[in-house]
Amino acid sequence: QVQLVESGGGLVQAGGSLRLSCAASGRAFNYYTMGWFRQAPGKEREFVAAIIRSGGSTYYADSVKGRFTISRDNAKNTVYLQMNSLKPDDTAVYYCAADDSLILSSTQGEYDYWGQGTQVTVSS
């Protein structure tokens, strides 16, 4: 089992940047594929990005491709989401999640463990 705690959210103007962090504890962090999801008010939670165990492969939603970068530091048991060129539509609660499979997945049901979320608000 793994516990996940997100941090780094906040209020930023459109065009600005934020870096989210997700610290993991419990079972070996490098056992898990890690993902970021988000949920905007009144909308369903959606996939943002994922990274495999080694960090050697990543996968992004089309809406964030070229603006967001997912990375991980297995020595620090942490996954990051660097968000640049932020837009008001990026406003959401951002969640990190852990998946014990070997596959990069955008499907929420594939992820076994979830953090509590961190709020990101982008003002226009």
Side-chain angles (χ1 to χ4, degrees):
Q1 196 168 5
V2 65
Q3 292 78 43
L4 304 171
V5 179
E6 301 96 335
S7 61
L11 175 63
V12 64
Q13 289 188 333
S17 298
L18 280 175
R19 188 177 81 155
L20 305 183
S21 300
C22 174
S25 61
R27 193 174 183 182
F29 177 70
N30 60 1
Y31 181 80
Y32 295 94
T33 290
M34 299 298 297
W36 285 97
F37 292 77
R38 66 186 183 186
Q39 187 168 20
K43 295 186 177 181
E44 294 187 352
R45 190 159 56 185
E46 64 177 7
F47 170 75
V48 175
I51 187 167
I52 61 171
R53 299 174 179 184
S54 67
S57 184
T58 57
Y59 178 36
Y60 296 93
D62 288 343
S63 59
V64 306
K65 203 172 295 182
R67 300 188 298 122
F68 290 10
T69 302
I70 188 172
S71 62
R72 66 191 296 163
D73 185 338
N74 287 342
K76 294 183 178 180
N77 291 350
T78 302
V79 62
Y80 304 98
L81 185 68
Q82 177 66 44
M83 305 185 294
N84 298 329
S85 302
L86 283 162
K87 306 174 182 179
D89 284 350
D90 295 318
T91 295
V93 177
Y94 284 71
Y95 299 89
C96 72
D99 174 10
D100 65 1
S101 76
L102 297 173
I103 300 171
L104 282 172
S105 175
S106 62
T107 303
Q108 297 183 50
E110 295 289 331
Y111 289 81
D112 306 289
Y113 305 102
W114 293 81
Q116 82 291 347
T118 186
Q119 176 70 48
V120 171
T121 303
V122 184
S123 63
S124 57

